[in-house]
């Protein structure tokens, strides 16, 4: 499978499909990430919060792929928005991952009640200028948070990673990102698996001789978003990769978009502390 890449606003690019490792247990991470890399994934989405960066790094080392063929993302944990704490946390991430740079470093949550995300962004800008983070971005940022970064920062985020799936289209954030040349990454693209029982998805999947998971992932990529579904099952890890050799019609796309119930599965960015 050839996985397309999307250009980022800083001249780099991101593979549109990756493997996400939220809730992949640390002791299984090496083996599952290696399974993903062997299946053809080249983009891994981890975070300091997931406590499995070490396993990701071990899999990368074991796979022996050229570093420039891999795209590795990690995220700043919530306790480290203070400038020096952010830099120190980043150093620990590189050490855990066994890498000299990451391809993307994100602020995991804006934590508006803490009120230090602009300070954290300053630290990310330094990491970007040093080359140790090839691109920097945000996660769970609402338009009002991004407006502050755009006004007070000097680097425009390359991506904004937010919750998006058929029950929660998050259109307002997607539109804001698009307007500012920020690529949207869809987290929990399968709604943690909960959306997959929907009869509309079952019908479209049957029509295309695919699974509901493949149809949902295809919907995301046709909308232009980046996805990194998580699975701890090797057959599903491979299945989730097979989405670039079929196409959903405009009618299919509209039917899936129409499943929106404005229902988040994860936390609201304003309420996460
Ligand atoms: P997801 O939407 O990727 O769903 C994963 C679940 O869907 C699996 O546990 C499994 O139950 C099911 N599933 C996966 N493939 C399937 C298949 N082919 N057939 C049937 N069921 C299948 O949920 P997620 O893990 O929450 O999100 C994906 C990634 O997004 C995470 O691993 C993480 O990298 C990222 N994420 C980021 C944030 C953030 O705050 N930035 C939050 C949540 C997730």
């Amino acid at each position: 499978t050839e996985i397309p890449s999307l250009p980022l606003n800083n001249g780099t690019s991101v593979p549109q499909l990756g493997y996400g490792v939220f809730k992949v247990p640390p002791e299984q991470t090496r083996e599952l990430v290696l399974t993903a890399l062997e299946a053809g994934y080249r983009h891994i989405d981890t975070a300091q919060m997931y406590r499995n960066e070490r396993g990701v790094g071990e899999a990368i080392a074991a796979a022996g792929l050229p570093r420039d063929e891999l795209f590795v993302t990690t995220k700043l944990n919530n306790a480290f928005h203070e400038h020096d704490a952010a830099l120190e946390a980043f150093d620990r991430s590189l050490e855990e991952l066994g890498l000299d740079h990451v391809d993307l470093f994100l602020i995991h949550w804006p934590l508006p009640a803490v009120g230090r995300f602009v300070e954290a962004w300053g630290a990310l800008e330094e990491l970007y200028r040093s080359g140790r983070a090839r691109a920097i971005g945000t996660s769970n940022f609402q338009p009002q948070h991004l407006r502050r970064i755009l006004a007070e920062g000097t680097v425009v985020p390359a991506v904004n990673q937010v919750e998006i799936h058929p029950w929660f289209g998050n259109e307002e954030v997607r539109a804001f990102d698009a307007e500012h040349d920020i690529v949207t990454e869809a987290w929990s693209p399968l709604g943690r698996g909960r959306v997959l029982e929907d009869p509309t998805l079952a019908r479209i999947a049957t029509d295309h001789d695919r699974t509901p998971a493949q149809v949902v992932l295809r919907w995301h990529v046709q909308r232009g978003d980046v996805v990194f579904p998580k699975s701890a099952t090797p057959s599903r890890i491979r299945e989730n990769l097979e989405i670039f050799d079929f196409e959903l019609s405009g009618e299919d796309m509209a039917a899936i978009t129409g499943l929106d119930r404005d229902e988040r599965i994860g936390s609201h960015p304003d309420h996460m502390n």
Side-chain angles (χ1 to χ4, degrees):
T1 310
E2 188 72 21
I3 301 170
S5 283
L6 297 181
L8 299 176
N9 62 19
N10 68 345
T12 65
S13 62
V14 58
Q16 202 177 2
L17 176 80
Y19 178 56
V21 295
F22 178 44
K23 292 199 171 148
V24 173
E27 65 280 5
Q28 286 179 40
T29 303
R30 179 190 190 277
E31 191 187 332
L32 286 166
V33 172
L34 194 52
T35 298
L37 293 172
E38 285 170 358
Y41 289 80
R42 292 293 178 267
H43 168 182
I44 308 295
D45 184 86
T46 184
Q48 293 167 356
M49 196 185 287
Y50 305 165
R51 310 224 171 271
N52 55 21
E53 289 170 308
R54 184 168 291 274
V56 170
E58 287 172 0
I60 289 170
L65 294 161
R67 176 66 183 88
D68 65 2
E69 287 179 19
L70 286 174
F71 190 99
V72 181
T73 300
T74 194
K75 316 184 191 87
L76 180 68
N77 210 348
N78 290 338
F80 308 128
H81 280 202
E82 189 269 324
H83 171 273
D84 291 357
L87 296 180
E88 286 161 20
F90 181 81
D91 287 347
R92 287 195 294 276
S93 276
L94 286 190
E95 195 173 309
E96 292 283 305
L97 289 163
L99 299 175
D100 65 4
H101 71 275
V102 294
D103 299 280
L104 181 61
F105 191 49
L106 306 178
I107 301 179
H108 205 147
W109 291 89
L111 311 178
V114 173
R116 300 188 89 150
F117 63 79
V118 175
E119 177 179 346
W121 187 251
L124 266 67
E125 290 185 346
E126 287 172 33
L127 294 167
Y128 175 61
R129 292 203 181 89
S130 77
R132 294 195 304 153
R134 293 286 159 88
I136 53 174
T138 55
S139 178
N140 300 301
F141 275 46
Q142 298 283 86
Q144 72 265 25
H145 309 130
L146 284 171
R147 274 192 205 100
R148 284 202 56 198
I149 297 286
L150 296 174
E152 297 172 52
T154 58
V155 177
V156 177
V159 317
N160 187 30
Q161 181 181 128
V162 295
E163 177 172 351
I164 303 175
H165 45 72
W167 288 353
F168 190 71
N170 217 340
E171 304 300 351
E172 202 186 315
V173 171
R174 292 181 73 250
F176 186 92
D177 292 348
E179 208 178 300
H180 295 88
D181 202 15
I182 298 167
V183 165
T184 298
E185 297 189 332
W187 65 248
S188 294
L190 303 173
R192 305 244 155 98
R194 283 184 229 171
V195 308
L196 299 177
E197 301 302 316
D198 185 281
T200 300
L201 297 176
R203 176 185 55 78
I204 296 171
T206 305
D207 287 351
H208 291 273
D209 200 16
R210 298 285 161 152
T211 66
Q214 289 171 324
V215 162
V216 171
L217 295 171
R218 180 70 204 178
W219 171 78
H220 284 285
V221 304
Q222 281 187 219
R223 276 155 56 98
D225 295 345
V226 174
V227 286
F228 21 78
K230 174 258 174 184
S231 172
T233 308
S235 60
R236 286 177 169 174
I237 290 174
R238 289 187 286 271
E239 171 187 326
N240 293 344
L241 202 56
E242 303 304 323
I243 61 165
F244 297 106
D245 56 351
F246 76 107
E247 200 168 341
L248 298 173
S249 68
E251 223 170 282
D252 296 334
M253 290 294 291
I256 299 169
T257 303
L259 300 177
D260 198 330
R261 339 170 165 174
D262 202 24
E263 186 173 325
R264 288 181 191 270
I265 286 172
S267 301
H268 191 293
D270 282 335
H271 306 143
M272 175 82 170
N273 284 288

